[in-house]
Amino acid sequence: MKKEIVRRYAYNPILAKAQIPYPVETVHNAAVVKHGSEYIMLFRSHLRTGRSIIGLARSHDGFHFTADPAPFLTPAPEGPFAVYEEFGVEDPRVTCVDGEYLITYSAYSRNGVRIALARTKDFVQLERVSLITEADYRNVVIFPEKFDGLYARLDRPHSEISPWSIWISYSPDLRYWGDSQLIMKPVLYHWDEMKIGPGAPPIRTDRGWLSIYHGVFNTMAGAVYRLGVALHDLRNPAKIIGVSDSWILQPEDPWEITGYVSNVVFTCGAVPEPDGSVKIYWGGADTVMCVGEATISDLVDLCIEHGRAAI
Ligand code: BMA
């Protein structure tokens, strides 16, 4: 029998707008982390204005989520973040480093899209730390460990010259980032040829950091968003050991093929489990949240045995 790399949960979608106790039009592109005995999901929702906010939902098994009564993060009404969050907050990612949760999200405004960083210890008290990119960046994921005392992140700057690619940057304090380096590019006439971007924060495995990213291919019917995997060196994450030549997930279920934006699977979070599996969460068609399970060693094998060069 053909082996599925990502085994979709039988009861997808796992969260949709009807389950949210305040008015939203979509539930998608969510970060998920384990906090104590709970799975915490931070999800993006469009409002009827067309702008986005971030909500929070909780689960005991990673499959059944219940949304909190009120949104978790909405555009700052005043202060230094307000002018950059005017058009909304989107696509959160969460990484636990040294016992605190670092949340990166896209801050949209008439000045472009920047990445903001907030932190929390308990998902109750939230502190906005800094805007950590200028315009135009998206998809910033922070590694759960430091390298030679520096935080590290993968990001995706926009460019008019180069296809949109994955870069790495480092910081001593989460505020000032540098030593930026391009580490992975789309491949011509390949499923990820148009652009790529980091998806879930990297997962430590015994053979390297596993990064689940998205890649886009343009068709006569518009762009198709799929997911792929890359493996980074454990000590030097700028070095990519291999990138799987094949995607691991593409839009196939009806709610991935049709929705607010059709033909999209887009991840912002994945949770590794003690049994060697990983729960991968993705937004379907920018409208609903879905989950599937994969075996971490299968994903690593794909990068090593069926790999292509990163650049
Ligand atoms: C990207 C981002 C994502 C979205 C995807 C598909 O550029 O805007 O938030 O899921 O497009 O629409």
Side-chain angles (χ1 to χ4, degrees):
M1 206 177 93
K2 201 174 66 172
K3 190 175 169 196
E4 294 293 339
I5 286 289
V6 178
R7 299 170 288 278
R8 284 174 164 85
Y9 178 55
Y11 302 100
N12 277 340
I14 55 167
L15 201 65
K17 69 173 184 175
Q19 294 149 267
I20 309 304
Y22 45 89
V24 295
E25 294 305 312
T26 62
V27 177
H28 65 297
N29 297 4
V32 183
V33 282
K34 261 192 196 167
H35 170 52
S37 61
E38 275 188 324
Y39 292 75
I40 301 280
M41 174 187 280
L42 298 185
F43 59 87
R44 169 179 170 196
S45 287
H46 284 101
L47 303 175
R48 284 204 182 168
T49 56
R51 297 180 181 179
S52 295
I53 60 169
I54 293 170
L56 188 153
R58 300 165 195 276
S59 169
H60 286 294
D61 62 6
F63 297 106
H64 301 85
F65 282 86
T66 307
D68 277 7
F72 180 69
L73 181 67
T74 54
E78 57 196 25
F81 289 78
V83 68
Y84 298 106
E85 296 182 3
E86 178 195 7
F87 292 172
V89 289
E90 305 189 353
D91 297 3
R93 269 86 173 186
V94 182
T95 306
C96 187
V97 191
D98 296 340
E100 73 175 351
Y101 297 96
L102 303 175
I103 304 170
T104 55
Y105 59 94
S106 304
Y108 267 78
S109 76
R110 67 189 68 216
N111 305 310
V113 52
R114 302 182 66 181
I115 299 298
L117 173 75
R119 64 173 150 215
T120 182
K121 284 199 160 76
D122 53 11
F123 293 97
V124 179
Q125 300 290 330
L126 181 74
E127 180 203 351
R128 280 176 169 85
V129 179
S130 185
L131 286 145
I132 58 171
T133 70
E134 56 207 89
D136 279 305
Y137 278 74
R138 292 180 51 90
N139 308 312
V140 170
V141 300
I142 296 178
F143 282 82
E145 288 174 24
K146 294 183 200 164
F147 302 88
D148 295 329
L150 299 176
Y151 294 94
R153 77 181 196 207
L154 303 177
D155 60 36
R156 210 284 307 283
H158 298 195
S159 170
E160 288 189 7
I161 297 172
S162 161
W164 296 6
S165 305
I166 295 178
W167 292 59
I168 193 164
S169 302
Y170 301 89
S171 172
D173 58 4
L174 291 172
R175 183 176 294 268
Y176 299 101
W177 293 84
D179 289 340
S180 302
Q181 208 187 122
L182 186 155
I183 56 171
M184 188 170 146
K185 280 186 95 111
V187 167
L188 198 63
Y189 208 71
H190 192 256
W191 68 270
D192 65 359
E193 83 163 355
M194 186 180 164
K195 56 177 175 173
I196 56 175
I203 294 167
R204 178 185 251 282
T205 77
D206 51 1
R207 288 184 281 170
W209 291 101
L210 181 70
S211 161
I212 306 173
Y213 72 99
H214 68 262
V216 187
F217 189 88
N218 209 12
T219 73
M220 295 299 283
V224 180
Y225 277 73
R226 299 183 172 101
L227 302 183
V229 280
L231 193 69
H232 298 237
D233 186 85
L234 275 182
R235 290 220 187 89
N236 173 13
K239 185 175 153 208
I240 297 188
I241 298 165
V243 182
S244 168
D245 202 34
S246 315
W247 70 70
I248 60 160
L249 191 77
Q250 70 159 350
E252 281 176 15
D253 272 336
W255 45 85
E256 296 162 351
I257 291 172
T258 310
Y260 187 77
V261 180
S262 297
N263 287 315
V264 176
V265 293
F266 191 96
T267 188
C268 292
V271 176
E273 300 288 5
D275 67 358
S277 68
V278 56
K279 290 187 177 70
I280 304 175
Y281 294 86
W282 63 88
D286 286 2
T287 306
V288 295
M289 275 311 296
C290 305
V291 64
E293 291 173 286
T295 304
I296 291 177
S297 64
D298 289 349
L299 299 177
V300 173
D301 285 347
L302 278 178
C303 299
I304 293 174
E305 288 161 24
H306 306 280
R308 63 158 170 99
I311 293 184

